[in-house]
Amino acid sequence: MTRARKAEYNLNINGKNMLIDSRRFELLKKIDDCGSIMNASKKTKIPYRSALKYIEVMEETLGHGVVFTTRGGRGGGGGSKLSSLGKEIVKEYTKVEKVLQKVSQTNELGGKISLIDEKGKVMHIDFNGEDITLPLTPDFKIGDDLILLISPEDIIIMLEPHESSIRNIIEGKIVGLKLHDDMVRLEVQLNNKETLDADVTEFSREKLGLDLGKIVFIGFKAVSLAVVKG
């Protein structure tokens, strides 16, 4: 059986580019936690020789030490720890993971440009009968199919629509509730039968009485949406 290759990400560390995957990232994290390359290799199930090779390649690529190792005397005291550069690699990879996680949970809305307001510098998107306003984007024209992306955490839940800087407000009904990363994820079915996910705290859910069947209004700023041509 062929083992699937893990995705590699190109990180810019101190002006130099290096490829790293989740396997090497976990190795560095465990070295930082355990203070030992040997113990880290056991916990990540990476052969010790492979672990040393991973570290060697990273250090050659960056031209600087990633892991510092000290030898212990008869009474012990030796161990390994990440250098400041090694910690920087862990930090940058963690940021990439967070971004990818956010993207993977994004709501996707399919729509078509119905109107372009050159004076107001906005365009209107027909989202299955609902009107969504976006900043005007060069080279887009009426009739273009678009995919709109918005994170659940960028959606605001309201009990009543009200005047604010939020241009897009749509009525819907809560049809699903579940815990998600210490937040409550609401599944809201809009009047056009499309559904969107929105994240709220448990405090907000209780305060607003956000239970199944509750009629709500979702709102999001035009700048919260990423746009891709369909």
Side-chain angles (χ1 to χ4, degrees):
M1 181 175 67
T2 303
R3 178 178 293 179
R5 183 182 179 131
K6 292 184 179 294
E8 291 184 313
Y9 303 107
N10 195 359
L11 302 183
N12 185 285
I13 307 294
N14 288 358
K16 294 186 177 180
N17 294 324
M18 65 167 290
L19 290 172
I20 184 170
D21 59 16
S22 59
R23 188 174 171 85
R24 292 166 186 164
F25 167 68
E26 288 299 331
L27 175 66
L28 292 182
K29 277 186 63 179
K30 292 302 180 186
I31 291 173
D32 206 29
D33 294 340
C34 302
S36 163
I37 298 175
M38 178 68 77
N39 290 338
S41 68
K42 290 177 180 178
K43 288 183 178 293
T44 55
K45 297 182 179 179
I46 297 174
Y48 183 65
R49 288 180 180 272
S50 297
L52 293 177
K53 187 62 178 179
Y54 288 163
I55 295 168
E56 179 185 344
V57 170
M58 283 188 275
E59 292 182 335
E60 287 180 352
T61 300
L62 299 175
H64 196 280
V66 171
V67 177
F68 291 152
T69 299
T70 56
R71 297 184 180 277
R74 292 183 178 180
S80 299
K81 63 179 181 179
L82 296 186
S83 66
S84 59
L85 190 64
K87 291 180 182 293
E88 182 71 13
I89 294 171
V90 170
K91 183 184 77 173
E92 290 301 314
Y93 188 94
T94 301
K95 286 162 58 176
V96 170
E97 274 197 328
K98 293 293 184 183
V99 170
L100 292 175
Q101 184 181 33
K102 183 175 180 179
V103 170
S104 69
Q105 299 165 2
T106 296
N107 291 294
E108 292 189 20
L109 294 66
K112 187 186 294 287
I113 300 177
S114 59
L115 177 67
I116 291 180
D117 180 357
E118 297 279 359
K119 185 177 179 180
K121 297 188 181 302
V122 296
M123 54 187 182
H124 293 263
I125 313 301
D126 177 13
F127 170 49
N128 195 15
E130 296 285 355
D131 180 65
I132 294 177
T133 303
L134 294 177
L136 184 60
T137 302
D139 302 326
F140 282 13
K141 62 184 184 297
I142 293 176
D144 281 350
D145 291 318
L146 302 179
I147 297 173
L148 313 178
L149 307 174
I150 184 167
S151 170
E153 65 188 38
D154 289 328
I155 294 177
I156 296 172
I157 300 292
M158 298 172 281
L159 298 183
E160 295 288 343
H162 57 269
E163 291 295 325
S164 70
S165 61
I166 298 174
R167 294 289 298 270
N168 301 295
I169 299 177
I170 307 174
E171 185 177 356
K173 179 173 67 174
I174 299 174
V175 295
L177 291 166
K178 63 181 179 181
L179 288 175
H180 182 83
D181 294 339
D182 298 324
M183 300 286 284
V184 179
R185 176 152 294 178
L186 309 179
E187 182 181 0
V188 181
Q189 184 179 65
L190 309 180
N191 289 337
N192 62 5
K193 304 306 179 184
E194 300 281 355
T195 59
L196 293 177
D197 290 335
D199 289 344
V200 298
T201 63
E202 175 60 20
F203 175 80
S204 294
R205 190 199 69 78
E206 290 185 355
K207 182 179 179 181
L208 297 177
L210 302 177
D211 296 315
L212 290 175
K214 182 84 170 183
I215 301 299
V216 296
F217 292 85
I218 67 167
F220 48 87
K221 292 186 177 182
V223 294
S224 298
L225 289 156
V227 184
V228 180
K229 273 196 175 183

